[in-house]
Amino acid sequence: MKFSSERVETLPPYVFSQFHKRKKELEAEGLDIIDLGIGSPDLPTPEFIVDELVQEVYHANNHRYSPYQGSAEFRQAVADFYRSNYEVDLDPETEVLTLIGSKEGIANLITAVVNPSETVLVPDPGYPVYQSAIHLAGGKTALLPLIPEEDYKPNYQSLPQDILDKTKLMLLNYPSNPTAGTVNIDAFLEAVSLAKKHDIAIAHDAAYGLVTFDDYEAPSILQAPDAKDVAVEFGSLSKSFNMTGWRIGYVVGNRDIIQALSVVKSNTDTSQFLPIQKAAAKALRSDFSTVNDNNAVYEQRQDKVLCALKELGIEVKRPRGTFFIWAKVPDGFKSMEFSELMLEKAGVIITPGSVFGPSGEGYFRISLSVPSERLEEAIKRMKVLEGGV
Ligand SMILES: *Cc1c(COP(=O)(O)O)cnc(C)c1O
């Protein structure tokens, strides 16, 4: 007897699990494996946020169900953040919704917007969760080509007309996982005008919106005029405030899309624990100095890794956002082969680019969200490999 549904059965296998199985085997042999595949910050949540949670958790009023759409206080904090950071006005009642992490929101959004067998455009290479969520919702995926030479901005010109005609929803993600690609506002102007012309909804995943370097500031898609006619933007405290385990995020923008999503959610969950929403509101109302401190740590790690890769003959442009390095594998290697070699010969896990889509072939991703000493040790081992690759 098989109890799992066809949709679950036909989900493509999770490639990371293969590496983790091998990691366990090697560790059982006593080897020390350094995992640069992890996409979750190693740094702790800032103390002022933890303190707020601890205080609020003692109030019995906070132990009840949250309103379905999230607490008014958190939604107001999101709206105020958009006003001060992006000069975008949002109605916290209709244009902001609290999420139990943006992953939840993105998965439920697809159910809320897409009918079975309708097409969703996803960036290639892109975050693999998009395709699984589309598959589970019964939708069809079409790949949105990106331009590596232009920091992975979308290549709309190469999309066939029939794909544009049947696309219901387009997912974008800048700063991008896995490519660390970033855009300026003109990429969003182009996306919005295309979406309006072809009746496409846009969901922009801004999980790394605050993880940026130097004087680059990642734009919000809602800064594009008329964006609210077609677009929503997902935000998360996971990466910017080191709060992955807390499960708190938000979606903002087009009220019809948000309304549809809130119907799915109110039948699925009852929002997040109130003390977590309160602590997250405090984070969004902070001066963002903790975010800047984090970014400075990532930047130092970036320097080290870029320098080491250069010595290995792998040139990479310094990314303006995310805690990822996206680099070409040495000539003659496939992504998977090179990643396997790294694990077997250096005891370092890197992520093969091919797991992020067909255009990821030929690349690998390194995550900088590991303690600096471990990163340095990984670099040392990679250099030992130098002769071999
Ligand atoms: C980490 C990540 C998310 C998930 O964030 P949560 O808010 O923790 O669910 C979403 N999108 C991308 C691209 C990510 O890398």
Side-chain angles (χ1 to χ4, degrees):
M1 186 82 187
K2 194 174 244 172
F3 291 115
S4 47
S5 70
E6 272 172 35
R7 281 185 193 171
V8 167
E9 283 300 313
T10 54
L11 206 57
Y14 193 55
V15 190
F16 294 94
S17 55
Q18 182 188 326
F19 273 91
H20 283 273
K21 193 167 153 249
R22 187 70 189 131
K23 178 186 178 185
K24 288 264 149 31
E25 287 169 8
L26 292 170
E27 280 174 343
E29 292 170 22
L31 292 163
D32 170 45
I33 306 299
I34 303 176
D35 193 345
L36 305 184
I38 290 171
S40 168
D42 59 303
L43 302 163
T45 304
E47 209 170 297
F48 77 95
I49 304 174
V50 176
D51 287 344
E52 181 73 4
L53 173 76
V54 170
Q55 278 189 29
E56 293 297 336
V57 88
Y58 283 108
H59 298 303
N61 274 350
N62 289 338
H63 299 170
R64 297 182 293 199
Y65 284 126
S66 160
Y68 286 121
Q69 72 272 37
S71 72
E73 181 191 4
F74 179 70
R75 284 178 287 119
Q76 186 65 55
V78 173
D80 292 344
F81 164 65
Y82 264 75
R83 170 101 285 279
S84 60
N85 209 51
Y86 303 115
E87 292 178 20
V88 167
D89 286 313
L90 294 170
D91 173 7
E93 279 305 310
T94 56
E95 296 176 330
V96 182
L97 187 66
T98 303
L99 300 175
I100 307 172
S102 52
K103 193 178 188 179
E104 169 267 295
I106 292 165
N108 282 321
L109 173 89
I110 292 161
T111 303
V113 169
V114 177
N115 293 304
S117 80
E118 280 183 334
T119 299
V120 184
L121 262 180
V122 302
D124 171 31
Y127 187 47
V129 164
Y130 303 147
Q131 285 207 44
S132 330
I134 294 162
H135 176 87
L136 290 174
K140 285 203 164 65
T141 293
L143 299 177
L144 172 62
L146 309 174
I147 311 172
E149 298 76 22
E150 293 181 49
D151 223 0
Y152 288 91
K153 80 171 206 198
N155 186 357
Y156 296 119
Q157 278 66 41
S158 71
L159 275 178
Q161 184 68 31
D162 66 309
I163 301 262
L164 282 171
D165 288 340
K166 64 184 185 193
T167 296
K168 182 74 175 285
L169 171 69
M170 169 165 68
L171 289 164
L172 295 174
N173 168 221
Y174 294 102
S176 151
N177 178 7
T179 65
T182 51
V183 291
N184 297 326
I185 189 70
D186 40 297
F188 290 146
L189 300 181
E190 195 184 358
V192 169
S193 98
L194 184 95
K196 288 186 77 160
K197 186 163 159 211
H198 295 275
D199 268 327
I200 298 170
I202 302 177
H204 177 233
D205 177 356
Y208 299 91
L210 295 175
V211 185
T212 56
F213 311 111
D214 298 327
D215 43 16
Y216 174 70
E217 284 175 25
S220 160
I221 196 169
L222 298 184
Q223 289 171 313
D226 301 335
K228 274 194 206 169
D229 293 348
V230 288
V232 292
E233 183 160 80
F234 286 87
S236 171
L237 283 86
S238 289
K239 312 291 162 59
S240 41
F241 290 97
N242 307 328
M243 290 171 71
T244 47
W246 295 56
R247 313 310 304 134
I248 182 80
Y250 49 84
V251 60
V252 296
N254 181 276
R255 64 183 67 199
D256 298 330
I257 299 176
I258 288 183
Q259 171 58 26
L261 174 54
S262 72
V263 169
V264 174
K265 279 181 58 62
S266 62
N267 286 286
T268 312
D269 62 59
T270 313
S271 200
Q272 184 50 282
F273 187 41
L274 286 164
I276 289 179
Q277 295 189 59
K278 285 185 177 280
K282 187 133 194 171
L284 289 179
R285 292 193 185 289
S286 73
D287 63 5
F288 294 87
S289 56
T290 59
V291 178
N292 296 334
D293 293 348
N294 276 343
N295 292 346
V297 172
Y298 293 137
E299 219 170 342
Q300 282 173 5
R301 295 177 183 174
Q302 229 181 30
D303 282 341
K304 284 183 187 143
V305 172
L306 291 179
C307 191
L309 289 177
K310 200 169 173 183
E311 285 178 39
L312 282 169
I314 302 171
E315 284 274 4
V316 199
K317 218 176 89 197
R318 174 195 257 284
R320 294 192 293 180
T322 79
F323 45 62
F324 299 115
I325 302 281
W326 178 251
K328 272 206 167 110
V329 299
D331 284 344
F333 282 97
K334 290 276 198 189
S335 294
M336 192 56 90
E337 262 181 313
F338 183 63
S339 306
E340 282 166 1
L341 180 86
M342 272 293 179
L343 177 56
E344 300 297 332
K345 296 278 189 295
V348 174
I349 296 185
I350 57 174
T351 312
S354 48
V355 310
F356 302 104
S359 303
E361 181 52 69
Y363 293 86
F364 64 94
R365 191 193 73 178
I366 282 179
S367 168
L368 302 171
S369 59
V370 288
S372 304
E373 323 81 73
R374 295 295 280 163
L375 203 58
E376 270 165 34
E377 170 63 22
I379 288 168
K380 230 187 273 168
R381 295 190 199 171
M382 282 158 70
K383 282 186 183 162
V384 171
L385 253 186
E386 193 175 359
V389 292

